[in-house]
Amino acid sequence: MAELKADTVVLGAGMVGVSAALHLQKRGRDVALIDRHNVAGEETSFGNAGIIECASIFPYMFPRDVGEILNYALNRTPQMRYRVLDLPEFLPWLFRYYLASSPARALASARAELPLIRQSLIEHEALVAEAGVPGLLRKTGWLKLYRSEASLAKAVHEVTRAKAYGLDNQVLDAKAIAAREPHLTGKFAGGVYLPTPGFVPDPGGLAKAYAALFGRRGGRFFVGDGRTLEQHGRNWRIATLQGSITAREVVLAMGPWSDQVLAPLGYAIPLQVKRGYHVHVAPRDNAVMNAPVLDADLGYCLAPMNRGIRVTTGVEFARRDAPASSAQLDLAVPRARKLFPLGEVIDAKPWKGARPCLPDMLPVIGRAPRHPGLWFDFGHQHHGLTLGPVTGRLLAEMMTGETPFADTGPFAAERFG
């Protein structure tokens, strides 16, 4: 096969990688996008609640409440479970996560990510318009429900805290919840409505639409394995089914698989995964859900996807490729049926995915410290769908010598030594 060439190779065609490819392409780079699947958006980007969380300015940090931690340790909560066999592997990472979740460090992470969160929906709106898929972005916001007065009080505190950052989230009583989502049933202490986030009723489809835009603009898509990446003089080379590609620069955007490239190159960046599951269920009796709904105390989320009502779980700590567990969905689906009229399960089997996380809940974006031409764009934790386009812009500005619109220091790989 002939040797292929590009200015830049992007490894990974999830929301993060496709967005980086588009922003580099806009700036005149000849970009080759490579994924192990023959289409974009088949892994982590496929399975989530579809929320562009431009109002979620505080990262998902490790809890500091002793009682809550004890419940997690006993594996009793639907919000978080862990695979006991994998405990030795991820326990050291959990300790780093706990340390990074101190009030001061958590606030520092929130402030670092705030410019990205604020810009996230704007960047999606631009790409949705360019891709010509307005039906894949809805301005619905989303709703969080609280069953106990204690959990509602914590949520109200967060609403007050968020007002300092210009967010006007709304506290709802039971009557207001019923007015917004009339087909919900149950007793609630109250809820919080976040009006500004966007909703994507087909996250995997949106990644594919962005990839199609990349292709229409001359971008090339290849099927290949990121583990074949190697330095070749001043360039980089990677094998694909269509032949080897040589490029001056490579962007590592392989999400939870980024360690497969990092480790052979000698980088000890503490990447871990939080796994999650979803299944689609048909609504009954012509019931309609207007926006995603989080049943906060019971640890699951419902999202009105094009395919059906998506029931998504909380976090599972386990090895990325460990066998799937039905435990969280076994709890979530019966509870969801009591909240909203649900019929038959649509999917032949549940979907399992992995969120790539660093202890400080910030992605790694920027230049690889010891390898010229290698750039990082991974570790977006729960916000891969939200942040993909905005971090793609930030990275492209860094790579092309523009002045970045946000401070890049907090996202540098060097923060881990």
Side-chain angles (χ1 to χ4, degrees), residues 236-369:
W236 293 87
R237 178 181 290 170
I238 185 168
T240 76
L241 294 183
Q242 297 95 325
S244 295
I245 302 177
T246 299
R248 297 193 310 270
E249 295 176 313
V250 173
V251 175
L252 177 57
M254 290 170 56
W257 292 273
S258 296
D259 63 320
Q260 294 180 339
V261 174
L262 292 170
L265 294 174
Y267 291 98
I269 296 174
L271 182 68
Q272 188 55 266
V273 301
K274 296 182 183 179
R275 303 204 316 181
Y277 299 85
H278 81 232
V279 68
H280 292 97
V281 187
R284 282 193 299 107
D285 305 326
N286 296 317
V288 174
M289 180 173 289
N290 298 308
V293 175
L294 173 69
D295 194 343
D297 293 350
L298 297 185
Y300 66 91
C301 185
L302 301 183
M305 297 292 177
N306 290 344
R307 182 172 171 78
I309 302 298
R310 180 177 288 184
V311 183
T312 71
T313 70
V315 168
E316 180 192 46
F317 284 103
R319 288 181 294 109
R320 180 191 60 219
D321 301 320
S325 167
S326 65
Q328 287 173 299
L329 280 174
D330 288 346
L331 288 172
V333 173
R335 290 169 172 174
R337 293 187 187 281
K338 295 178 181 179
L339 177 68
F340 185 82
L342 294 174
E344 296 299 316
V345 174
I346 296 170
D347 301 327
K349 66 177 183 179
W351 178 89
K352 171 178 70 70
R355 309 170 183 94
C357 299
L358 286 306
D360 57 7
M361 292 294 107
L362 296 176
V364 176
I365 306 168
R367 190 186 305 271

